[in-house]
């Protein structure tokens, strides 16, 4: 028990390092930088124009802004980020909010206000990144509670999740859900029999979300209410949507990011607005405001009678505000009491609306991407936890090099799987049938990461773009003299000759299949580069290729991280690195490559320099696999064909 506490204190220490690194980055890039520097670093959009505004169903103000210049400039904004909308006219003119989505040069933001500030109309607006203090504060609080735990159940959960005690399972009758396959039903059984913890290990394309949703629905039958969390807004929204489709009554706490209609109605704000007593609440709030306004009109230097009058009006306003608060409290309690599932991000689980709540079970999706400190936040509210994710795909992002070196990137899910093996209590079930990829795209990943256990479902096993198309190709640029280069500003690596080769190859593929095939089949294309600079090079070039320009709406070009959880019919990967020293940088992060290679459904084309890659065991194994399936091609053949 003692060493568990020591370990948690270490994690706490690493979180402080991470917060310092994050804050230092924020101060350097945002607080102390000029407007021009901020724009260059992608932490500010300026100038932006307001192109639309509406109220969410929960009466929150949602604005849409358009970035007028720097169309292609890379930036850090994405859904869930905390931002500030400001006016250049006056430093006091700011309002904070949360990004719902970013598409090209449009950003949708839910502002923390219900009335449009007047200064917004004056223009000269910009959007700045804000530092997310709340996340660190809540992680710190949760870690402290776990370390100081006295309550027996929490102590037991702490010791079991960190492996110093064995997890327990009870005998329960297996439930066979017909829509699930064998390994999915086995995972479901594991969840239903777990007393403390169960883990659904979902490799790419194996239906982890589907299994998770069934497990939640079955649990709701036995328990009145469950908590469902994930580290990202997008993952929470997806679960909210799927549970709703299955007929569960769901309340989404916090900011829904992908504002789809189905999720909007599920937010706590929208459900308050739809409540029978909401009209009454609005009326009371409005009258409170009117009384306050009247009271303020009495100037202080009037006589005694007026002072009395003013005092009475203000106290009446305050009484009405209290009444409104009580009414709102009642409405919220009523909504939450009727919910089967409450969904939120991990940090969102600390929301004051569910402060006093205790759940039997919490489900955490994408647990392999969650910092340990964040995972504890919802676990504190529960007696058992179900984790789902894949620790062979992307780990959580850690900004502090030092904290990363000392293991902050290791998640609670990984620790628990590894340490429970010592007690010979497997807490995890791996899903084995994948529904995404041709078997040749899957096989390398299956053998390298999943002990060869993955099986391709009949529906995808042999699925090709066309009869004459091979599912996998590696195009080797060794000896072509395509040397990598470094961007001076970002120090990110790119390789423009490799980029041109990739786009020429893809252009020829689109031409040979025919534009009409793409229009009928809607084949989607993903181009992945591990380096942001290469993504920029590819993005700048691809529209100059005739056939690519014709199918541009079907093409996505992005980094590996942006592709996590997504799939495309055709995936091209540019490996970029080509040098005499055999330096491959973070291509050595094999989990990242696992994600990149498993996005493809029917065709995977990788382009790289075997001479540079050949010093790393992962790429040696991959090149052996390529030879074995006869998928090797030299770039020389293409250049002169």
């Amino acid at each position: 028990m003692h060493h568990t506490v020591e370990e948690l204190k270490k994690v706490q220490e690493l979180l402080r390092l991470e917060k310092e690194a994050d804050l230092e980055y924020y101060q350097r890039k945002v607080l102390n930088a000029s407007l021009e520097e901020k724009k260059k670093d992608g932490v500010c959009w300026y100038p932006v124009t307001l192109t639309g505004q509406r109220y969410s169903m929960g009466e929150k103000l949602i604005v849409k802004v358009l970035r007028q210049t720097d169309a292609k400039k890379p930036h850090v904004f994405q859904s869930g980020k905390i931002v500030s909308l400001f006016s250049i006219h006056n430093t006091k003119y700011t309002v904070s909010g949360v990004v719902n989505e970013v598409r090209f040069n449009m950003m949708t933001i839910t502002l923390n206000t219900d009335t449009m500030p007047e200064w917004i109309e004056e223009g000269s607006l910009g959007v700045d990144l804000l530092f997310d203090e709340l996340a660190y504060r809540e992680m710190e609080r949760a870690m402290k509670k776990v370390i100081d735990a006295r309550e027996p159940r929490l102590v037991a959960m702490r010791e079991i999740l960190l492996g110093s005690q064995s997890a327990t399972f009870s005998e329960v009758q297996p439930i066979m859900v017909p829509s699930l396959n064998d390994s999915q039903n086995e995972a479901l059984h594991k969840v239903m029999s777990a007393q403390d913890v169960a883990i659904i290990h979902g490799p790419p394309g194996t239906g982890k979300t589907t299994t998770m949703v069934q497990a939640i629905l079955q649990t709701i039958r036995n328990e009145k209410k469950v908590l469902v969390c994930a580290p990202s807004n997008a993952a929470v929204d997806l679960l909210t949507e799927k549970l709703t489709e299955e007929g569960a009554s769901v309340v989404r706490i916090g900011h829904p990011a992908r504002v789809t209609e189905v999720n909007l109605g599920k937010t706590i704000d929208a459900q308050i607005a739809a409540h029978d007593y909401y009209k009454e609440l609005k009326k009371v709030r409005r009258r409170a405001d009117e009384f306050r306004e009247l009271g303020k009109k009495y100037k202080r230097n009037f006589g005694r009678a007026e002072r009395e009058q003013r005092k009475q009006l203000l106290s009446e306003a305050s009484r009405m505000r209290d009444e409104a608060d009580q009414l709102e409290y009642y409405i919220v309690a009523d909504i939450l009491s009727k919910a089967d599932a409450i969904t939120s991000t991990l940090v969102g689980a600390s929301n004051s609306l569910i402060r006093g709540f205790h759940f039997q079970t919490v489900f955490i999706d994408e647990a392999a991407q969650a910092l340990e400190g964040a995972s504890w936040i919802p676990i504190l509210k529960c007696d058992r936890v179900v984790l789902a994710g894949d620790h062979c795909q992307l780990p959580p992002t850690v900004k502090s090099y030092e904290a990363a070196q000392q293991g902050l990137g290791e998640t609670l899910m990984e620790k628990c799987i590894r340490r429970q093996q010592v007690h010979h209590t497997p807490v995890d079930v791996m899903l084995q049938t994948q529904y995404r990829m041709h078997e040749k795209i899957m096989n390398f990943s299956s053998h390298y990461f999943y002990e060869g256990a993955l099986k391709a479902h009949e529906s995808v096993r042999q699925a090709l773009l066309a009869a004459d198309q091979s599912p996998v190709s590696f195009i080797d640029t060794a000896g072509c003299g395509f040397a990598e280069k470094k961007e001076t500003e970002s120090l990110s690596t790119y390789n423009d000759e490799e980029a041109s080769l990739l786009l020429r190859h893809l252009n020829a593929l689109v031409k040979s299949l025919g534009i009409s095939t793409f229009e009928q089949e809607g084949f989607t294309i993903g181009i992945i580069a591990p380096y942001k600079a290469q993504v920029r090079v590819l993005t700048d070039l691809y529209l100059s290729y005739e056939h690519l320009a014709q199918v541009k709406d079907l093409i996505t070009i992005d980094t590996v991280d942006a592709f996590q959880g997504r799939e495309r019919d055709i995936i091209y990967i540019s490996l970029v690195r080509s040098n005499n020293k055999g330096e491959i940088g973070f291509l050595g992060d094999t989990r990242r490559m696992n994600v990149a290679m498993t996005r493809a459904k029917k065709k995977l084309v990788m382009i790289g320099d075997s001479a540079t890659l050949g010093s790393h065991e992962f790429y040696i194994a991959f090149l052996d696999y390529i030879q074995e399936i006869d998928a090797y091609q030299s770039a020389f053949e293409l250049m002169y064909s």
Side-chain angles (χ1 to χ4, degrees), residues 237-258:
D237 287 339
L238 182 65
L239 284 165
T240 303
E241 209 169 297
K242 299 272 187 229
L243 286 166
T244 304
E245 281 166 17
E246 293 285 345
S249 74
V250 186
V251 178
R252 165 72 157 101
I253 288 180
H255 280 275
R258 297 180 319 179

Side-chain angles (χ1 to χ4, degrees), residues 600-635:
K601 290 156 74 168
K602 298 184 169 74
K603 189 174 184 75
L604 171 67
V605 179
M606 290 173 66
I607 302 185
D609 178 344
S610 65
T612 302
L613 299 167
S615 56
H616 190 288
E617 57 160 0
F618 174 83
Y619 295 99
I620 295 171
F622 176 66
L623 291 164
D624 286 347
Y625 175 68
I626 288 295
Q627 294 289 356
E628 192 187 308
I629 60 167
D630 195 21
Y632 179 88
Q633 229 184 338
S634 161

Side-chain angles (χ1 to χ4, degrees), residues 75-284:
H75 60 81
V76 299
F77 296 101
Q78 63 197 67
S79 101
K81 290 269 189 203
I82 298 181
V83 295
S84 140
L85 181 67
F86 65 87
S87 159
I88 211 91
H89 291 312
N90 185 329
T91 50
K92 292 197 184 66
Y93 290 170
T94 64
V95 55
S96 67
V98 174
V99 177
N100 293 346
E101 67 163 350
V102 182
R103 286 186 67 98
F104 309 114
N105 284 320
M106 297 289 269
M107 197 184 319
T108 320
I109 307 166
T110 301
L111 298 178
N112 292 321
T113 173
D114 47 13
T115 48
M116 179 68 102
E118 277 144 33
W119 51 265
I120 288 185
E121 304 301 330
E122 295 168 28
S124 301
L125 303 175
V127 180
D128 259 347
L129 187 66
L130 282 183
F131 180 65
D132 191 359
E133 180 77 50
L134 174 78
Y136 289 106
R137 202 167 57 231
E138 293 303 341
M139 286 194 276
E140 175 67 29
R141 269 180 46 190
M143 294 297 296
K144 193 169 162 18
K145 280 186 181 158
V146 178
I147 289 169
D148 299 340
R150 292 279 172 276
E151 197 268 314
R153 184 62 202 149
L154 181 54
V155 173
M157 284 294 276
R158 178 182 78 191
E159 300 305 310
I160 290 163
L161 287 169
L162 292 171
S164 66
Q165 278 179 28
S166 173
T168 53
F169 292 86
S170 58
E171 292 290 321
V172 295
Q173 201 51 43
I175 307 163
M176 299 305 276
V177 174
S179 61
L180 298 183
N181 64 41
D182 293 351
S183 60
Q184 290 174 330
N185 269 311
E186 191 193 330
L188 180 63
H189 182 61
K190 181 69 88 178
V191 170
M192 302 320 285
S193 59
Q195 299 287 295
D196 321 289
V197 57
I199 297 176
I200 301 171
H201 178 193
T206 53
K208 169 176 68 76
T209 307
T210 310
T211 312
M212 192 71 157
V213 167
Q214 286 304 322
I216 294 168
L217 294 170
Q218 293 297 337
T219 306
I220 289 170
R221 290 185 178 171
N222 304 339
E223 302 167 14
K224 285 294 156 269
K225 208 183 284 320
V226 298
L227 180 60
V228 177
C229 299
S232 72
N233 271 299
V236 178
D237 287 339
L238 182 65
L239 284 165
T240 303
E241 209 169 297
K242 299 272 187 229
L243 286 166
T244 304
E245 281 166 17
E246 293 285 345
S249 74
V250 186
V251 178
R252 165 72 157 101
I253 288 180
H255 280 275
R258 297 180 319 179
V259 189
T260 51
E261 290 314 303
V262 51
N263 285 334
L264 265 182
K266 296 296 147 202
T267 61
I268 186 79
D269 290 343
Q271 295 194 43
I272 291 171
H275 196 274
D276 296 345
Y277 285 177
Y278 182 66
K279 280 195 182 65
E280 182 63 24
L281 174 66
K282 274 191 90 162
K283 202 162 73 193
V284 178

Side-chain angles (χ1 to χ4, degrees), residues 318-343:
S318 135
R319 191 187 66 74
M320 291 197 123
R321 272 212 307 282
D322 288 347
E323 188 186 325
D325 289 345
Q326 273 178 304
L327 189 53
E328 182 163 19
Y329 177 81
Y330 167 76
I331 293 174
V332 169
D334 188 46
I335 291 166
L336 292 175
S337 71
K338 294 186 172 119
D340 298 325
I342 291 173
T343 62

